[in-house]
């Protein structure tokens, strides 16, 4: 049983600019809600833990003042950031469960209680905080959890993690370096002028994904339940996957496939086999690309906002993914990644935000719940996210680094998240969210297919 002990509204410790920030098209089309993440710490929860975290949060909000603001809706149906310093919500909780009761902390219904619960229907969106934090003490004092729920409209994962790490550093009593400040809060760098010739590309990533053969929509697949498990690959296993992917390169003279390309190809292959797809079944892999360094000129290093764009692999068939060398799937992943150039991004920006999205935003503000127009990336397709480059284990609030970081909910569609393990030994954790009916076979194939390499 979990009990909320106290709730605090934390505002910036100093006066901050009162302004409205325009949001880019990429801020408008993300999931209209908060993304719950969870950090687990094996450390004593002292009596002053809450006080220290609230005090440092108040200080860091001076620099990250948009986080203390609210979303607002313009007459055109676009969202803006109202920097009004109304503050964020900090919850203090305690649970009757011990750390061991939560197992390996893989996303599940029980894990959801460790992150703030947000109701989008009873409170006007314009009054809803953009950040909720929940500090939960485990029974017996053996550790605690920090659950954060960050508005996706406010920022992507990288920007949010950088904020959390800066907050942790201030809590430790250290001074932030200039590069740790959100030096670029202005979103207009991702608001491009419209061109008469745009969009200049076909943009398959914005189109519906392939359906299962014999079906006319994805309604049946959406109803199927998913669950999540954590699967670990040691550093040696990762290197073996890379070696196998590079044994038979598709394109002569191409550079070696990366860790991400090899692991992603392996997941895609196992998913196709576990679903027992027809060989002629079209299948795509979808993932996001960080565009901070792909734009010309590049975005500032500490750009605070959403700077991710979607991409999909070229059309292929399940039979090819399952039977051809691992390098075949890895090459498809590479082609999807390399497609995202400066010109491609600027072209995509012309097509990414349509009237349907604006109508969805209006419905969200009218209290009709959290909605999204994103295409369903489940069976026969899959979405994969890499967090291997995110500094998630730098969130040391003075009690040591977290022993676990991950999502605080189970995705309703097939999705894999790839993270480095907290041990820092080069091993990797795959948090796979998959249809329950196929999960057992996927787990078996994940290691069985690897051993065959």
């Amino acid at each position: 049983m979990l009990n909320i002990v106290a709730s605090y509204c934390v505002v910036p410790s100093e006066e901050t600019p009162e302004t409205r920030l325009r949001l880019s098209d990429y801020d408008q089309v993300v999931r209209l809600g908060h993304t719950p993440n969870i950090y687990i710490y094996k450390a004593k929860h002292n009596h002053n833990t809450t006080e220290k975290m609230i005090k440092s949060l108040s200080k860091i909000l001076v620099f990250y003042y948009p986080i203390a603001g609210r979303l607002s809706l313009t007459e055109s149906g676009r969202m803006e950031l109202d920097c009004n310093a109304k503050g964020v919500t900090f919850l203090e909780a305690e649970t009757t469960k011990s750390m061991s009761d939560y197992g390996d902390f893989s996303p599940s219904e029980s894990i959801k209680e460790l992150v703030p619960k947000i109701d989008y229907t009873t409170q006007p969106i314009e009054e809803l905080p953009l950040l909720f934090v929940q500090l939960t003490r485990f029974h017996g004092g053996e550790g605690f959890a920090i659950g954060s729920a960050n508005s996706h409209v406010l920022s992507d994962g990288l920007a949010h993690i950088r904020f959390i790490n800066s907050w942790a550093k201030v809590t430790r009593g250290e001074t932030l370096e200039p590069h740790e400040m959100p030096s670029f809060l202005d979103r207009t760098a991702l608001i491009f002028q419209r061109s008469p010739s745009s969009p200049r590309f076909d943009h398959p990533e914005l189109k519906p994904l392939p359906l299962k053969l014999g079906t006319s929509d994805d309604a049946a697949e959406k109803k199927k339940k998913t669950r999540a498990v954590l699967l670990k690959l040691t550093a040696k296993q990762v290197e073996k996957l890379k070696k196998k992917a590079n044994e038979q390169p598709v394109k002569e003279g191409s550079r070696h496939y990366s860790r991400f390309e090899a692991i992603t190809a392996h997941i895609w292959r196992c998913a196709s086999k576990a679903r027992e797809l027809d060989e002629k079944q079209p299948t795509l892999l979808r993932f996001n690309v960080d565009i901070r360094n792909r734009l010309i000129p590049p975005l500032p290093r500490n750009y605070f906002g959403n700077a991710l764009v979607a991409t999909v692999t070229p059309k292929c068939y399940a039979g090819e993914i399952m039977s051809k060398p691992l390098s075949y799937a890895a090459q498809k992943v590479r082609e999807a990644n390399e497609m995202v150039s400066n010109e491609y991004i600027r072209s995509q920006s012309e097509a990414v935000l349509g009237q349907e999205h604006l109508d969805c935003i209006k419905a969200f503000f009218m209290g009709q719940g959290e909605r999204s127009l994103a295409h369903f990336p489940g069976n026969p397709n899959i979405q994969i996210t890499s967090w291997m480059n995110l500094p998630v284990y730098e969130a040391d609030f003075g009690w040591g680094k977290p022993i676990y970081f991950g999502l605080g909910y189970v995705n309703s569609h097939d999705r894999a998240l790839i993270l480095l393990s907290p041990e820092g030994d080069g091993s990797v954790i795959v948090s796979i969210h998959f249809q329950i009916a196929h999960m057992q076979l996927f787990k078996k194939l994940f290691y069985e297919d690897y051993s065959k390499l």
Side-chain angles (χ1 to χ4, degrees):
M1 179 179 177
L2 186 131
N3 179 42
I4 301 296
V5 177
S7 177
Y8 307 88
C9 178
V10 184
V11 299
S13 60
E14 300 175 17
E15 186 175 345
T16 56
E18 293 185 17
T19 184
R20 284 180 178 266
L21 292 180
R22 293 178 65 193
L23 296 175
S24 74
D25 287 356
Y26 289 110
D27 296 319
Q28 311 284 338
V29 298
V30 296
R31 184 167 57 84
L32 299 175
H34 295 67
T35 301
N37 295 320
I38 186 170
Y39 296 84
I40 304 297
Y41 295 85
K42 196 169 185 179
K44 292 292 183 180
H45 184 297
N46 299 320
H47 68 280
N48 65 339
T49 299
T50 301
E51 181 183 350
K52 286 182 66 175
M53 293 190 70
I54 290 178
K55 186 176 180 180
S56 60
L57 179 57
S58 181
K59 288 182 179 179
I60 198 66
L61 287 176
V62 175
F63 304 104
Y64 285 88
Y65 62 86
I67 298 177
R70 298 291 185 269
L71 292 179
S72 64
L73 190 67
T74 66
E75 291 185 2
S76 66
R78 293 177 65 97
M79 291 178 286
E80 288 185 340
L81 272 177
D82 184 3
C83 301
N84 53 23
K86 286 191 174 181
V88 304
T89 296
F90 188 101
L91 304 171
E92 186 177 10
E94 55 186 22
T95 177
T96 56
K97 298 179 182 178
S98 65
M99 291 182 71
S100 60
D101 290 330
Y102 291 95
D104 62 0
F105 293 100
S106 56
S108 64
E109 283 299 315
S110 63
I111 289 297
K112 287 172 65 176
E113 67 183 18
L114 299 178
V115 296
K117 186 178 181 180
I118 304 171
D119 185 355
Y120 298 99
T121 59
T122 59
Q123 189 174 6
I125 301 301
E126 295 91 337
E127 297 178 12
L128 201 64
L130 301 179
L131 174 66
F132 291 79
V133 177
Q134 180 177 313
L135 177 66
T136 304
R137 292 190 296 270
F138 294 116
H139 181 69
E142 58 183 340
F144 57 92
I146 297 176
S148 72
N150 176 67
S151 170
H152 205 333
V153 176
L154 182 68
S155 68
D156 58 23
L158 177 57
H160 178 63
I161 294 300
R162 284 175 172 170
F163 160 73
I164 293 291
N165 291 346
S166 295
W167 173 25
K169 190 170 183 179
V170 172
T171 307
R172 298 198 303 267
E174 300 179 23
T175 303
L176 294 180
E177 301 294 332
H179 70 271
E180 295 172 308
M181 301 289 190
S183 58
F184 206 84
L185 299 173
D186 186 0
R187 311 296 177 94
T188 56
L190 271 182
I191 301 178
F192 307 119
Q193 286 188 336
R194 301 288 174 178
S195 170
S197 62
S198 291
R200 299 181 294 278
F201 297 86
D202 191 39
H203 295 294
E205 73 280 358
L206 301 180
K207 298 178 180 180
L209 302 176
L211 297 171
K212 286 191 70 175
L213 293 176
T215 64
S216 58
D217 58 43
D218 53 20
E221 292 301 316
K222 285 182 176 179
K223 293 179 181 178
K224 295 178 180 178
K225 297 293 185 181
T226 59
R227 63 178 288 237
V229 297
L230 302 180
L231 304 176
K232 186 173 182 178
L233 289 171
T234 66
K236 288 185 178 180
Q237 289 173 323
V238 171
E239 285 304 310
K240 196 170 183 179
L241 272 177
K242 287 176 60 180
K243 183 179 179 181
K244 185 62 179 178
N246 286 293
E247 279 183 1
Q248 295 175 287
V250 172
K251 289 186 177 181
E252 186 177 352
S254 63
R255 70 182 188 278
H256 284 182
Y257 293 112
S258 67
R259 174 178 56 184
F260 169 72
E261 290 165 338
I263 296 173
T264 299
H266 180 59
I267 294 171
W268 192 9
R269 170 187 274 183
C270 293
S272 298
K273 289 183 177 180
R275 293 162 172 165
E276 299 179 312
L277 297 176
D278 188 286
E279 289 187 356
K280 296 181 180 180
Q281 171 67 61
T283 176
L284 293 180
L285 187 147
R286 177 185 174 96
F287 58 97
N288 290 326
V289 175
D290 187 339
I291 62 173
R292 285 170 172 80
N293 292 322
R294 299 202 182 201
L295 284 169
I296 301 174
L299 292 174
R301 178 180 178 183
N302 282 359
Y303 177 83
F304 188 77
N306 286 285
L308 298 175
V309 304
T311 186
V312 294
T313 53
K315 181 180 178 180
C316 54
Y317 298 93
E320 297 172 323
I321 297 299
M322 294 186 289
S323 63
K324 290 191 175 183
L326 193 64
S327 58
Y328 178 82
Q331 178 63 28
K332 295 292 183 181
V333 176
R334 173 166 296 181
E335 290 173 17
N337 188 24
E338 292 180 340
M339 179 170 60
V340 185
S341 62
N342 173 63
E343 293 78 13
Y344 196 88
I345 296 165
R346 293 176 184 274
S347 172
Q348 188 194 78
S349 71
E350 303 264 343
V352 69
L353 180 62
Q355 187 58 48
E356 279 187 302
H357 278 100
L358 296 177
D359 292 342
C360 187
I361 291 170
K362 289 180 181 178
F364 181 58
F365 273 78
M366 290 173 62
Q368 296 180 12
E370 182 186 351
R371 299 178 60 188
S372 174
L373 285 178
H375 298 301
F376 177 72
N379 193 356
N381 311 291
I382 191 166
Q383 179 173 332
I384 297 184
T385 300
S386 173
W387 285 350
M388 288 187 287
N389 292 327
L390 296 189
V392 296
Y393 302 114
E394 292 180 14
D396 179 358
F397 287 84
W399 309 289
K401 295 183 177 182
I403 62 170
Y404 174 81
F405 169 84
L407 281 181
Y409 68 103
V410 180
N411 273 281
S412 58
H413 58 263
D414 295 347
R415 180 186 181 187
L417 294 97
I418 310 172
L419 306 96
L420 295 181
S421 69
E423 288 82 6
D425 58 0
S427 58
V428 165
I429 295 174
V430 175
S431 177
I432 180 72
H433 303 235
F434 211 60
Q435 288 180 354
I436 294 175
H438 306 304
M439 176 61 89
Q440 200 60 36
L441 182 54
F442 177 89
K443 290 167 59 179
K444 180 175 180 288
L445 290 166
F446 186 81
Y447 291 111
E448 187 178 84
D449 277 20
Y450 161 77
S451 64
K452 290 179 181 178
L453 300 180

